[in-house]
């Protein structure tokens, strides 16, 4: 069966420091991958999506970037964090077959920028 | 652009009772998918139920069922025999069937906080 994992689960970083959140998917190949952010008390906002290695589309201009160095690996990065980057980040992947239009989420990563 | 509206910021129900969460959406498309996701205190987003717009039959998953009214653009979630573990934020979400081979993401509502009273 397919699973998705992301880490770290919790991160506290000072303003101006770099960021790297990692996500991997198991049990499938060539998945569509997504990064979402959920600010406190708000819904989900799509940040990036990827349909293949090295292919990244950005939905919202911001301080963050994404990369996909391997088929089942998706990384969210920042060179210098801002206070406004704080939030809950979710990696997700697109199901296959009958669930081809369903998006499944990882456990999430809490980022607090101080 | 599509929009999803959840008009109930918070709902409360007694354990073992039935509760209905409302969701309306706006779209000009005829083919799409609708979802309910549950986000418990752990914050993981969990798929509850999925509905294809071309299917007239309402989806059901154990104690969870939907009332899909395509003409009214309404997609409510009914939870029967509510349990303490159902306490969570519930998000309604829309996804176009013509989403570029899966490249695009979802449009979410702002969520409904469901409280289960023991």
């Amino acid at each position: 069966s397919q699973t998705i994992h992301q880490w770290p689960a919790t991160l506290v970083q000072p303003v101006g420091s770099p960021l790297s959140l990692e996500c991997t998917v198991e049990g499938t190949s060539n998945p569509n991958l997504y990064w979402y952010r959920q600010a406190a008390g708000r819904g989900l906002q799509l940040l990036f999506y990827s349909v293949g290695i090295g292919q990244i589309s950005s939905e919202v201009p911001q301080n963050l970037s994404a990369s996909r160095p391997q088929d089942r690996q998706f990384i969210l990065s920042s060179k210098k964090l801002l206070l406004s980057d704080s939030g809950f980040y979710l990696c997700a992947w697109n199901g296959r077959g009958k669930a081809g239009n369903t998006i499944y989420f990882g456990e999430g990563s809490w980022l607090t920028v101080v | 652009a599509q929009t999803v509206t959840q008009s109930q910021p918070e709902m409360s129900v007694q354990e073992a009772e039935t509760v209905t969460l409302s969701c309306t959406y706006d779209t000009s498309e005829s083919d799409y998918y609708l979802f309910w996701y549950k986000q418990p205190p752990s914050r993981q987003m969990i798929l509850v139920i999925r509905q294809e717009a071309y299917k007239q039959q309402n989806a059901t998953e154990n104690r969870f069922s939907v009332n899909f009214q395509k003409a009214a653009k309404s997609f409510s979630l009914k939870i029967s025999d509510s349990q303490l573990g159902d306490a969570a934020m519930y998000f309604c979400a829309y996804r176009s069937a013509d989403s570029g081979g899966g490249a695009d993401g979802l449009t979410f509502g702002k969520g409904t906080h469901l409280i289960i009273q023991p």
Side-chain angles (χ1 to χ4, degrees):
Chain A
S1 63
Q2 299 86 8
T3 57
I4 179 169
H5 299 289
Q6 62 177 103
W7 67 93
T10 305
L11 201 57
V12 180
Q13 292 285 98
V15 170
S17 65
L19 169 74
S20 181
L21 298 179
E22 189 166 339
C23 170
T24 59
V25 180
E26 301 291 335
T28 188
S29 59
N30 195 30
N32 292 339
L33 298 173
Y34 308 85
W35 277 111
Y36 289 85
R37 175 169 60 197
Q38 186 178 32
R42 302 179 70 175
L44 272 72
Q45 178 187 36
L46 178 64
L47 301 176
F48 300 95
Y49 67 88
S50 172
V51 299
I53 295 173
Q55 300 178 63
I56 308 295
S57 296
S58 174
E59 290 290 302
V60 182
Q62 60 211 319
N63 184 43
L64 302 169
S65 62
S67 61
R68 186 168 177 176
Q70 299 181 41
D71 181 45
R72 292 172 292 172
Q73 184 185 29
F74 203 24
I75 298 172
L76 183 68
S77 304
S78 174
K79 291 182 179 178
K80 290 186 177 182
L81 284 168
L82 306 172
L83 287 174
S84 58
D85 291 324
S86 292
F88 188 64
Y89 290 83
L90 284 157
C91 181
W93 71 287
N94 198 93
R96 295 286 189 191
K98 284 187 178 180
N101 275 287
T102 301
I103 290 183
Y104 297 93
F105 292 86
E107 307 95 330
S109 299
W110 270 110
L111 170 65
T112 303
V113 182
V114 297
Chain B
Q2 294 80 24
T3 58
V4 177
T5 302
Q6 293 179 249
S7 59
Q8 305 153 317
E10 187 172 281
M11 292 283 285
S12 181
V13 64
Q14 292 285 335
E15 195 176 3
E17 300 276 302
T18 295
V19 64
T20 299
L21 307 184
S22 301
C23 173
T24 58
Y25 57 94
D26 188 25
T27 184
S28 58
E29 300 174 328
S30 59
D31 198 11
Y32 47 87
Y33 300 85
L34 296 165
F35 305 88
W36 280 97
Y37 286 90
K38 168 185 176 181
Q39 190 176 39
S42 67
R43 298 302 294 268
Q44 184 171 7
M45 196 70 76
I46 302 165
L47 177 70
V48 174
I49 202 164
R50 170 178 183 261
Q51 175 80 43
E52 293 90 344
Y54 62 84
K55 288 188 178 178
Q56 292 186 338
Q57 186 175 7
N58 289 325
T60 61
E61 286 288 344
N62 301 314
R63 297 182 295 108
F64 298 87
S65 61
V66 298
N67 183 6
F68 173 49
Q69 301 289 328
K70 191 172 184 179
K73 296 180 183 174
S74 171
F75 182 60
S76 61
L77 174 69
K78 185 172 83 171
I79 306 174
S80 304
D81 185 26
S82 297
Q83 300 175 2
L84 294 177
D86 295 333
M89 281 291 287
Y90 285 81
F91 291 94
C92 179
Y94 171 103
R95 191 176 197 202
S96 171
D98 183 22
S99 55
D104 295 332
L106 296 162
T107 301
F108 284 88
K110 293 193 174 181
T112 296
H113 182 210
L114 179 63
I115 299 167
I116 310 295
Q117 306 277 7

